[in-house]
Amino acid sequence: MTDFEYRDRRLFCEETSLEEIAKMTGTPCYVYSNRTILDRFDAYNLAFGDIPHTVCYAVKANSNLALLNLLANAGAGFDIVSGGELYRVLKAGGDPRKVVFSGVGKTSDEIDFALSHNIFSFNCESEPELELIDSIAGERGVKARVAMRVNPDVDAATHPYISTGLREHKFGIDIAEVEDVYRRGMALANVALESVSCHIGSQLLDTQPLLEALRKMLGLIDRLRAAGAPISHIDLGGGVGVPYRSSEQRPDIDAFVQDLRGLLAGKRLHAMVEPGRSIVGEAGVLLTRVLYRKRNGDKEFVIVDAAMNDLIRPALYQSHHEIAPVALSDGETIRADVVGPVCETGDFLARDREMPDLRGGDLLAIMTAGAYGFAQASNYNSRPRPAEVLVDGKGWRIVRRRESYDDLIQPEVGARAEIVQ
Ligand code: LLP
């Protein structure tokens, strides 16, 4: 179930008509459901129940302040990968004591910024990074909580660009070598190595690889504890995948967490997870209007006003997003590529897709676009980024206004005012 459904043959988000939003805000425009976001967050949080846990929403999936605020108020922690994401979390009222800082290339400024706000923990990806955290914490006179990110050598069986848990990937430290790193790290004065972390990849529809990674991590924790490391926390990385195709099954968050709980029973560990996609993915659509129909030889094109700069997932990962007409009709169907105005053949939202017999002006919703949608949007082709709207029942509000032409040039005008007419 999601909160996007037809009522009287018109697509609604919760109790709000998408036609109404498009009329008021223009297109392209991202629309998010408050209810879906909270449902999915609660699914994780409630399934952990009374065992010590923190659900750290992965900010990279969608970093809009309104969404972060919603999740902060629901009690979420946050998984960040940059100083900019920490800044957003703080501005949105998130609790820095529930923040974990992941990422393979943290700079000294970012580490210092995070220490100044006393974040919960760093997920540290290399020994040089551990030494840098130790020295910056020493300068500040604080002790930094650190988990080494372990590469458990488990195949996540997902798209190669978003698979991270194999030895050949740049992430984490090989599980075979990490015990030595803990041994050396425990001798450092300004870090507390009381946690382990891993993340094997994103968009996992089968949860077995995640459970296999947990089994390997629990074996590691036994060995680390036997060697004297006081491990109290385990961070299992991102959450489950989402069904991008209507034929795909949605992984059951509750069943997944129950499996985790089964393996964690009696282990005296505080469990942490960092889901992004499964919280916001199905909570968002990208609304776009048909500009033109066009035929080249045998090929039919539907040209819409959203493009790869607004949603790059189809171009970058060949990912499939269902495309739903906002108003249902009964007529003929066509087979067409749905493409945007950007000057690249790679600028497509769907290829060879069965679609209604669309006309200029028709509205479409590109489904399951809440995660890694706006977050990966750019100004390519000098296209202002779209507006974002958050729906709550019958009410809705713009949570990011559409960018203007002036927004496009502002940072340059600041630097080189003299060339502007
Ligand atoms: N934790 C870490 C350390 C991560 O690297 C990621 C995602 C997550 C958590 C959140 O994973 P999730 O629950 O969302 O699966 N742009 C790509 C996805 C990149 C994912 C990167 N890391 C896409 O559009 O599919």
Side-chain angles (χ1 to χ4, degrees):
M1 263 287 285
T2 78
D3 289 287
F4 293 91
E5 281 185 332
Y6 286 99
R7 299 178 173 210
D8 284 335
R9 300 170 68 78
R10 297 284 188 278
L11 193 58
F12 274 62
C13 174
E14 302 188 13
E15 281 75 59
T16 299
S17 143
L18 293 180
E19 264 172 2
E20 177 194 318
I21 293 176
K23 217 175 284 165
M24 308 276 286
T25 62
T27 51
C29 168
Y30 278 95
V31 180
Y32 309 119
S33 158
N34 195 88
R35 195 182 296 153
T36 307
I37 295 169
L38 291 180
D39 275 358
R40 300 293 153 89
F41 172 74
D42 286 346
Y44 280 102
N45 212 21
L46 297 174
F48 277 109
D50 56 3
I51 75 161
H53 70 276
T54 316
V55 180
C56 294
Y57 166 68
V59 175
K60 66 169 81 66
N62 188 324
S63 56
N64 184 287
L65 291 178
L67 273 58
L68 298 182
N69 178 255
L70 191 66
L71 288 162
N73 290 340
F78 295 95
D79 166 46
I80 60 163
V81 289
S82 69
E85 286 191 351
L86 176 56
Y87 183 77
R88 282 183 170 274
V89 167
L90 296 170
K91 289 285 174 195
D95 179 356
R97 298 300 315 274
K98 292 188 192 170
V99 166
V100 293
F101 194 163
S102 304
V104 73
K106 304 173 191 78
T107 65
S108 43
D109 283 350
E110 289 177 318
I111 293 167
D112 194 52
F113 180 40
L115 284 173
S116 76
H117 287 281
N118 196 15
I119 65 160
F120 178 70
S121 170
F122 292 88
N123 287 342
C124 174
E125 301 237 7
S126 65
E127 229 171 327
E129 183 194 331
L130 182 63
E131 284 156 14
L132 183 60
I133 295 173
D134 178 66
S135 90
I136 298 174
E139 281 162 26
R140 286 196 157 268
V142 296
K143 203 153 181 149
R145 286 169 296 274
V146 176
M148 295 312 296
R149 172 162 173 189
V150 180
N151 190 325
D153 200 28
V154 171
D155 188 354
T158 182
H159 190 282
Y161 287 9
I162 53 177
S163 178
T164 52
L166 284 177
R167 201 165 277 148
E168 69 232 40
H169 297 140
K170 70 178 175 183
F171 297 100
I173 295 177
D174 193 331
I175 190 156
E177 290 162 25
V178 78
E179 285 167 64
D180 282 343
V181 177
Y182 271 84
R183 200 163 303 127
R184 288 191 288 273
M186 273 158 37
L188 297 173
N190 311 301
V191 293
L193 272 173
E194 292 167 5
S195 182
V196 292
S197 72
C198 73
H199 168 77
I200 61 167
S202 193
Q203 183 49 12
L204 275 69
L205 290 175
D206 175 7
T207 57
Q208 285 310 317
L210 290 165
L211 299 174
E212 189 190 334
L214 173 55
R215 279 190 207 97
K216 286 192 162 187
M217 295 294 283
L218 290 173
L220 170 69
I221 289 172
D222 285 344
R223 297 194 295 280
L224 289 173
R225 282 175 166 169
I231 305 296
S232 56
H233 287 66
I234 182 168
D235 182 340
L236 289 165
V240 297
V242 296
Y244 282 104
R245 292 173 190 270
S246 47
S247 57
E248 281 167 347
Q249 277 267 335
R250 175 179 307 114
D252 181 338
I253 293 173
D254 182 63
F256 167 61
V257 175
Q258 297 310 332
D259 286 345
L260 296 182
R261 286 186 63 157
L263 292 171
L264 288 166
K267 300 288 184 190
R268 292 175 291 115
L269 286 166
H270 182 117
M272 310 183 77
V273 283
E274 305 167 350
R277 192 191 310 266
S278 47
I279 293 182
V280 293
E282 287 184 279
V285 302
L286 174 59
L287 280 183
T288 182
R289 231 178 247 289
V290 175
L291 295 172
Y292 310 105
R293 279 274 296 276
K294 166 171 175 174
R295 180 182 271 280
N296 278 354
D298 286 341
K299 212 159 164 67
E300 190 84 56
F301 292 94
V302 175
I303 302 166
V304 297
D305 64 4
M308 66 189 287
N309 73 294
D310 304 304
L311 179 67
I312 202 172
R313 302 195 70 261
L316 192 54
Y317 316 106
Q318 299 76 47
S319 62
H320 179 101
H321 288 259
E322 300 290 354
I323 301 185
V326 169
L328 285 177
S329 61
D330 287 326
E332 301 276 292
T333 61
I334 56 165
R335 282 204 91 79
D337 284 12
V338 180
V339 301
V342 161
C343 299
E344 289 205 24
T345 303
D347 178 30
F348 59 88
L349 297 165
R351 285 200 147 151
D352 200 27
R353 188 75 64 86
E354 183 163 4
M355 300 291 300
D357 190 14
L358 297 160
R359 284 160 206 281
D362 284 349
L363 260 184
L364 299 173
I366 301 168
M367 307 304 290
T368 322
Y372 309 108
F374 189 93
Q376 297 192 109
S378 77
N379 292 124
Y380 187 40
N381 277 205
S382 287
R383 288 169 52 85
R385 283 178 296 176
E388 293 176 285
V389 161
L390 182 60
V391 172
D392 185 6
K394 283 193 186 121
W396 58 276
R397 65 196 163 100
I398 293 176
V399 291
R400 193 180 207 277
R401 65 165 170 77
R402 183 178 310 288
E403 285 178 346
S404 65
Y405 289 155
D406 209 37
D407 290 329
L408 292 178
I409 62 165
Q410 260 319 310
E412 294 160 60
V413 171
R416 299 278 305 271
E418 73 277 10
I419 60 166
V420 176
Q421 306 297 307

